[in-house]
Structure formats: C-alpha cells, structure tokens
Amino acid sequence: MDQLASLYFVILPVVIGAALVEGLVLSKRRAERYDWKSWACSLADLGGRRLLALIPYTFAAPWLDWVWEHRLFTQSLDDIGSVLLLFLGLEFFYYWYHRTSHTVRWFWTSHSVHHSPNQLNLSAAYRLGWFGKFTGTSLFFTPLVLLGFTPVTVLTALFLNLLYQFWLHADWVPRLGWLEYVLNTPSSHRVHHARNPEYLDANYGGVLIVFDRLFGTYVAERKDLPCDFGLVSPAVSSRNPFLINVHPWIGLAQDLASARSPNEAWMYLFGPPGWRPDGKGLTTAEIKKRADLAAGQSTLSPA
C-alpha cells in the first residue's frame, strides 16, 4: 500500500498541472467561457477524497485480505501470461463495475459525482467523489485476488487503468480512426459523459472498448449530435463539492423513508437510478422512451 501511495503522489501533481494548463489554453482559444468554478470544484473534490482516505476503513479491504488467504492460485508478474490475465481480467471486471455504477442506484449515488460537470475537461477526470470506498466498489475485483494476484497488485493495476482514462476527458481530441474499434478513446468517453438520450448508459470500458462492443453498450459519437455534458437531472449546483457529494445520499435516504414496502425500499437502493413506484421516474429507459415518442410526434407533425 505504501508503494501505491507513493505512486499516487508522484502522479498527482502531473494530472493537476495538465488540467490547469488545459484550462488556461482553452480559456484563451475558445469563445465558450472555461468554467473555472467547476475546475475548483473538481480540485476540492480531490482534496476531500484524500482527507477521507486517512480513515482506515473500507468494506473491501478485510474481504480482499481474506480472499487472498484463500486464493486458488498464486500469480507471478514475471510471467507474461499472468500479466495478460491481469490486464484483461481487470478490463472485464472494470466494465461490469462501471456498468453497475450507472444502472444500480446504490453505486450511482457515489459515481454520479464524476458526471456532474457540465463541461468535459481534464479536471473532471479526478472528480471521483468522496464516498466510493464506503460503497464496496472494490469488491468487483475480488475474482482477480482469488485467481492469485495480491490485493496491492490489483489496486495498483486499477489505479493505472484510471490513470489511462485521464486523457479521455479532453473534449478537443478528435476521433482516432481504427483505434476506436479497440481502445477507449476521448470520442467514446465523450459519449459516456453525455446526457443526450441517444448517448445514455454507453461506453463503460477502461482502456479497451471491446467489452462494450461485445455486450452491446457501444455507441459511436455522431457528428450531427453534439454531446451535452452533465447529469440528466442536476438537482444541485455542480460547482459545490459538498452538495454534489452529499445531496445524492440525502435523496436516497428520503426515498427509503418514503418506501411503502420492502420491495420499494429494495428498488430505491438497487434499482436503476431515477426509479419511481409509479413508473414515471427518470430512468434511462424512460428517458429514451420519451425521446422516441417526441421524435415520432415531430415526424408526424405537419410542416
């Protein structure tokens, strides 16, 4: 863990500096005003997360240690086959972790912080929320420990995976030709952050985009449909780090308090974000349904 912490603090000034340089350049080259308040919010989110990291507790750490003691194999990073297994395995489980973070409210309540900026830029890459480690997201990577990779190795690989994704938040990088078929690129990630109905819940990959293509969640960026960034229903200012982190949990608590049955409570916790008992919530399925109906009515309307 000490090695991981050292790596983190070596990389941290680099990504913060790159985001600052990008902001300075874009603020001079674009007519659209660069949102420095949002940049500061991302920086404050990062600072708060580092302070909370001092709390020596997560749901996952004791469990990963127990799984390591009961592992099926022991992998060596000197073996190229093990390295390939680690890379592909991490990509596979990251895909499902990320997909679940968008489709299960318990995880979305934390992950939504990352999607709160209304401009996509490099500073958004390190707006990851304060409470992720308390929701048990690391448990998605348990199978890698069971296969024989140490918890530190798995968490370091995950850190490097997220580090790759830093540059994906640059909205000025164009499509990259044939690489779009294999790698997660800025174009694919712009779609992932967009709130357009046509783009919702797509492109969950980390380094690779192949699992999105395999499982039917890949959506290509369209020239005729610019990405509109931010949350579908931003209830609070996206520039207040406290509100964007705490408000989703308050909303979840209020919904749980209003539940009229165990099934409703379960759906509020683990159903899709936006779920409502009357079926009139802002789930992705409902948003797309409404958009399709609106498009159909527009087509049928006389010119």
Side-chain angles (χ1 to χ4, degrees), residues 75 85-86 89-90 93 141-150 154:
Q75 304 289 342
L85 175 63
L86 176 62
L90 186 76
F93 294 118
F141 305 98
T142 298
L144 292 173
V145 180
L146 189 63
L147 289 173
F149 297 101
T150 68
V154 173

Side-chain angles (χ1 to χ4, degrees), residues 122-241:
L122 292 178
S123 71
Y126 48 77
R127 187 188 294 196
L128 299 176
W130 292 345
F131 305 120
K133 78 171 190 173
F134 300 107
T135 61
T137 54
S138 297
L139 297 178
F140 283 88
F141 305 98
T142 298
L144 292 173
V145 180
L146 189 63
L147 289 173
F149 297 101
T150 68
V152 172
T153 297
V154 173
L155 294 177
T156 301
L158 178 59
F159 171 78
L160 294 175
N161 189 295
L162 294 174
L163 180 61
Y164 168 86
Q165 295 181 52
F166 174 70
W167 76 292
L168 302 182
H169 296 80
D171 72 342
W172 42 269
V173 178
R175 286 179 59 84
L176 300 177
W178 65 269
L179 290 176
E180 301 288 343
Y181 291 95
V182 181
L183 297 178
N184 191 12
T185 65
S187 175
S188 292
H189 208 60
R190 285 193 288 271
V191 168
H192 177 72
H193 272 266
R195 59 186 171 188
N196 313 58
E198 297 85 352
Y199 290 152
L200 287 177
D201 287 358
N203 302 355
Y204 299 111
V207 175
L208 303 177
I209 204 66
V210 292
F211 290 115
D212 284 283
R213 292 182 177 275
L214 181 63
F215 295 118
T217 53
Y218 175 74
V219 175
E221 185 179 23
R222 291 163 42 181
K223 291 182 178 179
D224 65 323
L225 187 62
C227 293
D228 180 24
F229 302 116
L231 298 172
V232 169
S233 181
V236 297
S237 170
S238 64
R239 300 180 180 92
N240 186 318

Side-chain angles (χ1 to χ4, degrees), residues 67-115:
V67 172
W68 171 248
E69 293 299 323
H70 297 81
R71 63 192 181 276
L72 300 176
F73 312 99
T74 300
Q75 304 289 342
S76 171
L77 295 184
D78 294 330
D79 179 11
I80 190 169
S82 293
V83 174
L84 186 61
L85 175 63
L86 176 62
F87 174 70
L88 291 178
L90 186 76
E91 281 294 309
F92 177 78
F93 294 118
Y94 179 84
Y95 169 87
W96 286 108
Y97 146 71
H98 200 181
R99 183 169 176 171
T100 304
S101 294
H102 281 255
T103 56
V104 174
R105 187 178 181 184
W106 170 257
F107 297 108
W108 173 249
T109 302
S110 174
H111 187 63
S112 63
V113 176
H114 182 59
H115 285 261

